[in-house]
Each structure stands twice: as C-alpha cells, then as structure tokens.
Amino acid sequence: MASPAGDAVASRSAGGAVVPRHVAIIMDGNGRWAKKRLLPRIAGHRQGAEALRKTLRAAGEMGIEALTLYAFSSENWRRPVTEIADLMGLLRHYLRREIDEIHANGIRLHVIGDYRRLDSDIVALIDEARARTAGNSGMHFVIALNYGAQDEIVRAARALAEEARSGTLDPASIDASAIEARLDTHCLPPLDLLIRTSGEARLSNFLLWQAAYAELLFVDTLWPDFDGAALAKAVAAFGARERRYGGL
Ligand code: FPP
C-alpha cells in the first residue's frame, strides 16, 4: 500500500463521479438483524453473506479497485464456540460455492490477518483460491480473517527487526513506506473509504494504519440489509467530502 498522501488520488468514473479506489467495510449488525426477527444469530450471518455477495458485485460494477471486508477479527474468538463454528461453516461454504464465480469475474482474492490459525481445511481452501485467482487482473477482494490491526503492525515491526538483526536493513532507513511494505495490505491501493454499518462508531482494531487518511463513514443500516444501493450512497457521500491530507 503506497504512502497515503502520495498517490492516494481517488479515481473518477467515466460519468465524472468520484469513485474511491479502495473501500473497506466493518460488516456489523448481523446479530441485531436476526434478533429483530426472532431468528438465531446464524440467520443474521447467513443474510450477511448475501449482503457480501451483492456488495462485491456492485463494487466491481462501480469500478472500485479493492474491497476489504472484516469477516472475523482476532477478538471474535471470544464469542461462544457454537457461533464461531457457525461462522467458520459459513466461510467454508462461501469459499467452496463462490470461488468459481469470483475467478470467472477476474477478481483477485486476498486474505489479510493471521488466517493460518484457522482450521486446516479452511486454510487449504483459502490458499487454493488465492493461488487460482492470483493471475487475474480485476478487482482485489480482500477478506480479513483472524485479523487485528495491532497484530498486523506488530508482525511488520518484527519483520523489520529481523531484517535489521540479520544486517539486510539499516534501522535508520525505516520510514512509513518501509512499514507499509510489510503490512498485509502491501499490494493494495491506499484506503480511501472505511464504512461501518449498524450505527456503531468505532474502528475495532481494523486497518488502523491504513485508515490514517481514509474517509470514515458510519451508517445505521444493519449489515444484512446492505446492498449495491447502500454502497452507491456511501460512494456518493465520499465524493462530497473534501480531502486535504493535512494541507489546506
Ligand atoms: C458482525 O455482526 C459480523 C461478524 C462478526 C461476522 C461477519 C460475517 C459475515 C458477514 C458472514 C459472511 C462472511 C463470509 C466471509 C462468508 P455481529 O454478529 O457482531 O452483530 P451484532 O453486533 O448485531 O451482534
């Protein structure tokens, strides 16, 4: 990921509307969506997977270059084991069912976070999907799994320290771009817009470094109700913001 104030110029679509290059979403509110309908929480997560599908399709149509979704945080292990198992089941199902279409649409699948700690069959599905789509040239679809921004920064710091210890890196040369090059998002465009659904206004350890110059948008919609129209509304709100990167 390049320096935020450097080439972080949001692209313009042919129609003149400003389109963010990289959008990230904290998909929140699945449980509340289900509760309102007297349904089990898994029903909310299932509907959340539908919202994900619609949003991914719409993002591609709008010309967004990268879409990063917070699917499972490093803190989500604190949830009841039954809910964790439900979420992992949904992830398995999603990876098996959607990868053909993702690949057919030229999308590149990435995972950020320490996903190798998930069940080995899920790790294998992810690695297979990443390898299969790596040569595509379309949108980057990024799923954050067992992701925590502080952990990501700690891992980058550790990598730099190892390189300094082995003599391949001069500590005096470490700057923001050296850290960015070691983050999980290193191959993605700069983050332009970070959306959180369900009315909560927190970052919850998501993309803390990358959000330095991103526009933040908190919307009341519960994630299972999110779709292409909601994304278009968020993109329009982004287009109306003035970005100054610390300048005037
Ligand atoms: C937050 O809602 C949502 C999550 C922790 C999981 C997000 C997962 C999905 C959208 C399912 C599909 C994902 C994939 C990759 C197939 P919450 O449960 O915290 O809602 P609440 O705050 O209303 O309880």
Side-chain angles (χ1 to χ4, degrees):
M1 200 163 118
S3 175
D7 66 345
V9 178
S11 54
R12 276 172 194 276
S13 77
V18 180
V19 178
R21 295 182 64 196
H22 184 174
V23 176
I25 310 181
I26 302 176
M27 308 181 287
D28 197 9
N30 294 351
R32 276 162 285 169
W33 184 93
K35 194 173 177 190
K36 268 171 62 179
R37 290 162 177 77
L38 306 176
L39 294 169
R41 291 178 60 82
I42 180 65
H45 294 315
R46 270 195 210 112
Q47 198 59 35
E50 285 305 316
L52 187 158
R53 220 168 268 131
K54 292 180 201 162
T55 305
L56 177 64
R57 188 176 315 123
E61 285 166 5
M62 278 177 208
I64 290 169
E65 289 173 46
L67 179 70
T68 301
L69 301 177
Y70 207 2
F72 195 84
S73 78
S74 44
E75 286 74 36
N76 284 152
W77 295 110
R78 295 182 193 142
R79 294 191 175 207
V81 282
T82 49
E83 179 161 348
I84 294 172
D86 283 344
L87 282 167
M88 293 302 150
L90 204 52
L91 177 62
R92 247 183 216 107
H93 184 69
Y94 181 85
L95 288 168
R96 287 196 187 116
R97 211 180 76 170
E98 300 295 320
I99 198 60
D100 285 346
E101 193 179 331
I102 286 174
H103 184 47
N105 287 325
I107 295 170
R108 285 169 274 191
L109 182 90
H110 308 264
V111 171
I112 58 169
D114 195 3
Y115 74 92
R116 295 197 176 277
R117 291 192 44 218
L118 303 182
D119 288 350
S120 57
D121 67 306
I122 296 183
V123 174
L125 281 171
I126 292 169
D127 285 341
E128 198 184 308
R130 287 176 57 221
R132 196 167 158 208
T133 62
N136 290 342
S137 56
M139 188 172 68
H140 300 276
F141 172 37
V142 189
I143 312 180
L145 288 171
N146 192 25
Y147 176 87
Q150 291 177 342
D151 171 66
E152 180 190 30
I153 295 166
V154 166
R155 286 187 281 111
R158 218 175 269 147
L160 287 165
E162 288 294 346
E163 289 169 52
R165 186 167 64 176
S166 68
T168 55
L169 179 78
D170 174 6
S173 73
I174 297 173
D175 56 10
S177 67
I179 294 174
E180 278 171 5
R182 286 153 185 90
L183 295 176
D184 296 348
T185 50
H186 62 90
C187 61
L188 301 171
L191 182 63
D192 290 315
L193 173 63
L194 193 158
I195 304 166
R196 183 174 187 144
T197 59
S198 90
E200 308 284 349
R202 286 189 297 279
L203 293 184
S204 298
N205 203 14
F206 190 44
L207 301 177
L208 297 182
W209 176 284
Q210 297 84 345
Y213 287 94
E215 293 296 324
L216 308 182
L217 188 68
F218 301 103
V219 298
D220 288 335
T221 313
L222 299 176
W223 174 252
D225 292 326
F226 204 87
D227 57 11
L231 182 66
K233 208 170 147 192
V235 165
F238 169 83
R241 301 263 181 103
E242 192 191 342
R243 304 180 82 195
R244 294 201 296 268
Y245 303 104
L248 294 176

